[in-house]
Amino acid sequence: QVQLVESGGGSVQAGGSLRLSCAVSGFTISGYWMGWFRQAPGKEREGVAVIYRDGRKYYDDSVKGRFTVSQDNAKNTLYLQMDSLKPEDTAMYYCAAKPYYGEYNVPRGPNAYRYWGQGTQVTVSS
């Protein structure tokens, strides 16, 4: 049974940090594109960061230099270190997985992803 379970969300003040985790069971993340997405109220779900085991990464321009995506294949877990948080980072954060089929380009859109977690809320106050 496939499960993606996010944790680490919470409420912080602007400038603070949070580290999100996504524990995966049912498949091995090393064979998948692993991504973090977020959705704020009234907005579409958007890609935040994506990673593949060979080191390819993608960051949305809004989080470059502040967020770091990583994965621990031994623990089958995805992480998102979020520093210098801003109020506009407030959203529900989801982890997602897409099977790797040899693509060169990093898949950025949420529709490409097959498996999803339930999300963890991040709230940043000014």
Side-chain angles (χ1 to χ4, degrees), residues 41-119:
K43 294 189 177 182
E44 293 186 352
R45 191 169 296 189
E46 63 178 4
V48 175
V50 178
I51 186 171
Y52 183 63
R53 66 177 180 180
D54 63 0
R56 279 178 283 175
K57 297 180 182 179
Y58 157 79
Y59 294 99
D60 185 78
D61 286 344
S62 65
V63 306
K64 280 181 182 176
R66 301 188 298 120
F67 289 13
T68 304
V69 62
S70 62
Q71 64 185 76
D72 185 330
N73 292 331
K75 295 182 178 180
N76 220 36
T77 300
L78 177 72
Y79 301 99
L80 185 67
Q81 177 66 42
M82 306 188 295
D83 298 317
S84 303
L85 282 161
K86 304 176 181 180
E88 50 263 44
D89 294 319
T90 295
M92 185 71 78
Y93 283 71
Y94 301 89
C95 68
K98 178 196 177 302
Y100 178 72
Y101 295 123
E103 308 95 323
Y104 175 78
N105 294 321
V106 177
R108 303 179 182 185
N111 290 341
Y113 287 75
R114 177 182 298 181
Y115 301 123
W116 290 86
Q118 293 301 305

Side-chain angles (χ1 to χ4, degrees), residues 5 8 12 16-17 30 39 58 79 84 100 108 118 121 123:
V5 180
V12 296
S17 297
S30 59
Q39 188 166 19
Y58 157 79
Y79 301 99
S84 303
Y100 178 72
R108 303 179 182 185
Q118 293 301 305
Q121 178 68 37
T123 302

